[in-house]
Amino acid sequence: MNLLFAAAEGSPFLKTGGLADVIGALPKALRKSGVDVRVVMPKYKGIPERYVQAMRFVAHIDVPVGWRSSYCGIFELVHDGVPFYFIDNEYYFARDGAYGHYDDGERFAFFNRALLAILPSIGFRPDVIHSHDWHTGMVAPVLDKHFRHDLFYRDIRTVFTIHNLQYQGVYGYEVLGELLGLDEGYYHPDRLEFKGGVSFMKGGIVYSDRVTTVSQTYADEIRTPHYGEGLDGALRWLGGRLTGIVNGIDEKSYNPAADASLFKKYRSSVNGKKANKQALQRALGLKEDAGQPLVGMVTRLTAQKGLDLVSHVLHELLEENEVQFVILGSGDPHYEGFFLDLARRYPEKLAVQVKFDEQLARQIYGSSDLFLMSSQFEPCGLSQLLALRYGSIPIVRRTGGLNDTVHAYDETSGEGNGFVFNNYNAHEMLDAIRLGLSYYDQPEHWKKLVKQAMSGDYSWNASAQRYLQLYQELLGQEAAAAEAAAAQG
């Protein structure tokens, strides 16, 4: 089976969020099953120079963008056994950052057309193109409109994964014809039209053969008006063509026994975490006390992450409890300012780092005893999986992938790997934090919790097999339909 992943980012080349982790890890897991998986993404200015120098120039072609043609260079680099192809166009991609530019609609319209156009030049005909998030949502409609007439493309199937429905890539009507070359018929509420614009996300949902998202609970949630971001009707229409498959993590990269970012590597020892905790306390200016519980947060500082709940009760928690917090992330200036101000008031109990720092993030996973995720919604979440892998016990709200991966600890049965609260309520969250702190003070229960957390399987193995089954079913269904049509003919 030949499979092409199409995505706007991928680790280790460029990362802004969990999508990059998926693109960096899932193809490797699929190749273990004998699938020829390759990845295509833009050749951004921000890709580290060591990778740029290792790339091999393959070819260049012209790609139509509306009435004009644009240069498209093709570069290749094999990383961890996976061939990556990079779409080169300096006008579109030689900029700071991956997203947030005034012409993102044009940039990714070009990318969607280019990744299809390069296939003959790289000599790779995929059985399935698997596109990820809104940036590649127009692959399926553009494939049907501009490429199906060519025998090379005729039987290619499409899968589209929603990583976060909140970001939809909605642009003006003009993107339809001027950039994508799609006619008026596509501008319809049952097709690409969305709130007076053109939705890339809706293109992936409506035109792909199968749609997946990154947890079963999120797949159920986004079929409802509360979580559906205006697309719940289209998602309900999919019926059984929408599937939830939870993400995994790269357990080789995220391994506390081998992680060079940690102050001290460890396997399953609570003492190993204590040594890391003391080192982190020292580095961040917190009171150095290995016996004091440390709660970590590695998060975007946005409303989605439930930071209004945290800001509502954190003062109370720090005032009344022997507990420390470390918060790493950036985002909304309101939250940045609030937490920095609170850290100045409680310098021995709260450390706030307003930035993204991969090494520090790993140190927080390896040093914290508890890990807080108070999200309004969470399609999958990787932080809770990383926390479990490093023996940091998650405290989460019951939503999306958090519901599918974190299960409330039951001291009677000894089952569970975290602490869970149901409603989006600050004091319900506070009760869950206090429950976690109470178990931290019970060494017998705590050792069992940490052991269960660290012994779980958070790899891509099971999820990769579910994706493989989905591809096989899709191709099998198509083969059966072709046979039936031939028989009728």
Side-chain angles (χ1 to χ4, degrees):
M1 180 190 301
N2 292 341
L3 176 62
L4 183 72
F5 271 40
E9 59 183 83
S11 182
F13 305 108
L14 187 132
K15 174 180 175 178
T16 68
L19 170 60
D21 290 316
V22 174
I23 301 305
L26 179 54
K28 289 191 292 185
L30 287 166
R31 287 185 76 89
K32 293 177 183 177
S33 298
V35 181
D36 187 352
V37 189
R38 308 186 188 190
V39 180
V40 59
M41 63 177 284
K43 185 174 180 284
Y44 294 109
K45 172 185 175 183
I47 295 174
E49 186 62 24
R50 65 183 182 279
Y51 296 124
V52 175
Q53 291 297 321
M55 293 178 187
R56 179 180 70 89
F57 176 75
V58 177
H60 70 84
I61 60 173
D62 290 326
V63 174
V65 182
W67 54 267
R68 61 194 181 280
S69 291
S70 293
Y71 167 84
C72 172
I74 309 165
F75 289 80
E76 180 185 15
L77 174 61
V78 178
H79 180 75
D80 285 348
V82 179
F84 279 76
Y85 296 98
F86 298 88
I87 301 294
D88 178 40
N89 181 297
E90 291 195 354
Y91 175 73
Y92 290 129
F93 302 127
R95 311 181 187 185
D96 294 329
Y99 322 124
H101 300 283
Y102 76 97
D103 58 346
D104 276 356
E106 180 175 343
R107 296 170 70 231
F108 288 103
F110 166 78
F111 179 59
N112 280 242
R113 297 192 72 162
L115 69 90
L116 290 164
I118 69 169
L119 296 179
S121 297
I122 64 175
F124 183 67
R125 183 196 173 280
D127 298 300
V128 178
I129 297 177
H130 188 161
S131 304
H132 294 262
D133 254 354
W134 74 261
H135 325 91
T136 54
M138 289 300 177
V139 167
V142 168
L143 173 64
D144 288 342
K145 175 67 176 179
H146 297 299
F147 292 88
R148 288 292 186 199
H149 66 277
D150 188 327
L151 185 62
F152 181 91
Y153 294 91
R154 187 166 300 167
D155 297 323
I156 296 175
R157 301 298 97 197
T158 53
V159 174
F160 179 69
T161 293
I162 302 165
H163 291 264
N164 191 333
L165 191 63
Q166 188 176 51
Y167 304 103
Q168 299 186 5
V170 181
Y171 297 97
Y173 167 78
E174 62 277 4
V175 75
L176 196 69
E178 292 183 13
L179 302 179
L180 295 166
L182 301 177
D183 58 55
E184 181 73 23
Y186 286 85
Y187 192 71
H188 187 277
D190 293 337
R191 296 192 174 188
L192 301 180
E193 188 275 330
F194 185 70
K195 296 183 178 180
V198 174
S199 169
F200 278 56
M201 177 70 79
K202 193 174 181 181
I205 292 169
V206 172
Y207 283 91
S208 298
D209 296 308
R210 293 289 295 269
V211 178
T212 75
T213 191
V214 290
S215 70
Q216 186 55 54
T217 296
Y218 191 59
D220 296 335
E221 288 175 339
I222 60 178
R223 289 182 169 105
T224 68
H226 183 69
Y227 290 97
E229 302 289 347
L231 291 174
D232 51 289
L235 292 161
R236 287 193 298 272
W237 169 77
L238 289 174
R241 292 193 294 124
L242 172 62
T243 305
I245 303 176
V246 72
N247 287 337
I249 60 173
D250 185 339
E251 289 197 323
K252 182 179 178 182
S253 173
Y254 293 102
N255 178 6
D259 192 339
S261 295
L262 299 181
F263 298 105
K264 180 180 175 63
K265 300 172 188 176
Y266 60 95
R267 294 188 180 277
S268 59
S269 167
V270 175
N271 291 331
K273 286 188 68 68
K274 285 184 177 180
N276 279 279
K277 184 199 299 188
Q278 284 183 291
L280 185 67
Q281 289 169 330
R282 191 179 312 120
L284 297 180
L286 296 172
K287 179 182 178 182
E288 199 171 323
D289 182 356
Q292 188 164 141
L294 177 65
V295 182
M297 294 184 72
V298 177
T299 181
R300 294 196 311 276
L301 301 182
T302 63
Q304 179 209 331
K305 298 302 182 179
L307 295 178
D308 53 334
L309 302 188
V310 180
S311 60
H312 190 67
V313 300
L314 187 54
H315 169 79
E316 178 182 349
L317 190 63
L318 294 173
E319 191 71 31
E320 297 178 2
N321 296 268
E322 286 301 314
V323 63
Q324 295 176 335
F325 270 74
V326 175
I327 300 174
L328 171 64
S330 61
D332 188 324
H334 166 72
Y335 292 121
E336 292 181 356
F338 174 84
F339 290 119
L340 285 170
D341 180 64
L342 200 62
R344 285 189 285 268
R345 295 167 62 187
Y346 296 93
E348 293 191 335
K349 285 190 168 186
L350 174 62
V352 176
Q353 298 287 307
V354 178
K355 60 182 178 179
F356 176 78
D357 185 323
E358 176 70 19
Q359 182 179 34
L360 180 56
R362 289 171 180 256
Q363 290 170 350
I364 292 172
Y365 292 124
S367 303
S368 58
D369 302 295
L370 294 149
F371 194 90
L372 179 60
M373 297 181 71
S374 52
S375 307
Q376 289 185 24
F377 66 94
E378 195 66 58
C380 177
L382 292 177
S383 291
Q384 82 278 14
L385 301 178
L386 298 173
L388 288 164
R389 175 71 165 148
Y390 285 74
S392 183
I393 307 304
I395 304 167
V396 305
R397 192 172 90 80
R398 194 186 302 277
T399 185
L402 302 179
N403 180 58
D404 293 354
T405 56
V406 180
H407 310 290
Y409 179 65
D410 183 334
E411 68 171 82
T412 303
S413 66
E415 298 178 347
N417 59 2
F419 303 99
V420 180
F421 63 101
N422 294 319
N423 298 306
Y424 192 72
N425 178 280
H427 281 89
E428 194 170 324
M429 179 194 72
L430 182 59
D431 288 342
I433 296 172
R434 285 172 170 161
L435 181 62
L437 294 175
S438 73
Y439 277 108
Y440 177 81
D441 289 332
Q442 302 176 60
E444 191 172 319
H445 284 292
W446 194 255
K447 287 179 181 178
K448 183 185 296 184
L449 252 173
V450 172
K451 182 178 180 181
Q452 287 174 182
M454 297 187 70
S455 62
D457 182 0
Y458 311 112
S459 72
W460 273 104
N461 295 336
S463 295
Q465 289 305 307
R466 288 196 64 194
Y467 275 112
L468 182 59
Q469 182 181 2
L470 183 149
Y471 304 139
Q472 291 170 335
E473 289 174 355
L474 178 59
L475 295 173
Q477 289 167 1
E478 293 299 324
E483 289 178 7
Q488 290 176 359

